[in-house]
Amino acid sequence: MIKKVLITGATGLIGSELVAQCHLEGIVVNYLTTSKEKIENTENYKGFYWNPSEGEIDEKAFNGVEAIINLVGATISERWTEKYKQVILNSRIESMKLIYETLKKIDHNVVHFISASGIGIYPDSKTKLYTEEDDAIGDNFLAKVVVAWEAAAVKFKDLGMEVSKVRTGMVLARNDGALPQLVKPIKYGVGAPLGSGEQWQSWIHIEDIAGIYLFLLKNQLEGKYNAVAPNPVQNKRMTKMIAAKLNNPLWLPNIPAFVLKLVLGEMAVLVLEGQLVSSHKIEELGYHFKYYNLENALQDLL
């Protein structure tokens, strides 16, 4: 059983929930942060400074650590200018490269490297159900990022570690991530399905995404895993379900794709495209979802 883990991105949306779940299991957490103000030092939660763009890292972060969970990466929900696209890519690749180069030169006990990834690697489709066995890769910027992200993770096998890649869907949480953005227009009475509304949203509740990381960690499982709830829904269904929960009827027609492209630019693929993704592999291995249906998830979060 892993007793001590190093988490990058520990203060972010998924990281905060994962830290809480690790502590419930008695797992000690070290974390890396780029903000010296966010460094804490308690018995089971210790922060260490790093600056991946400058190649700077506190090697003491690895003391006694048996596994690394890598969640770091700049948000993809900011306009994709050419400059920001580089930030999205570098924030994922440079950070892993720094960890890799550091582990190569120090004595350590790390046996398992678990990295965030994304279902954005799969092509947009309204009919195909994607499993981890599918090799098809999307042709947009997001898919390119995921390919590079996973390639950087796989390198850790060269250091004799087991490597896991967690292909994450749309994470639903109360105060952060996608859900507040979906709720806001509906609350103000201007909510509507996006584009055709038929694009799939393979979502996951915040407790389940952290739960999957913990499950992989505790069972030392390697390989690719889709981290999505068992029941994806189409965008129009999700929009209607949120509106019903908030008791705010939808009256506007669908927002046309060309309007979203004008407003969001290249980033519009995040709302106009979608993938129908299977959670069968992780369930077969014994992970039990706490939030199986969107109804239950929204009941909890709204």
Side-chain angles (χ1 to χ4, degrees), residues 79-145:
R79 199 174 179 90
W80 294 355
T81 60
E82 286 310 309
K83 190 177 174 187
Y84 192 67
K85 276 160 70 167
Q86 209 51 53
V87 170
I88 290 172
L89 196 56
N90 289 352
S91 65
R92 285 157 175 78
I93 310 309
E94 281 181 358
S95 52
M96 277 203 267
K97 192 175 171 192
L98 179 55
I99 293 169
Y100 179 84
E101 294 301 333
T102 307
L103 289 172
K104 244 171 57 171
K105 66 180 189 189
I106 64 170
D107 284 334
H108 64 84
N109 304 313
V110 182
V111 294
H112 196 181
F113 186 82
I114 305 173
S115 181
S117 178
I119 62 168
I121 194 168
Y122 302 119
D124 173 44
S125 177
K126 294 188 175 66
T127 53
K128 164 87 178 145
L129 177 67
Y130 289 107
T131 72
E132 292 84 349
E133 303 307 309
D134 283 297
D135 294 328
I137 291 169
D139 60 0
N140 59 33
F141 167 68
L142 205 51
K144 289 190 184 81
V145 169

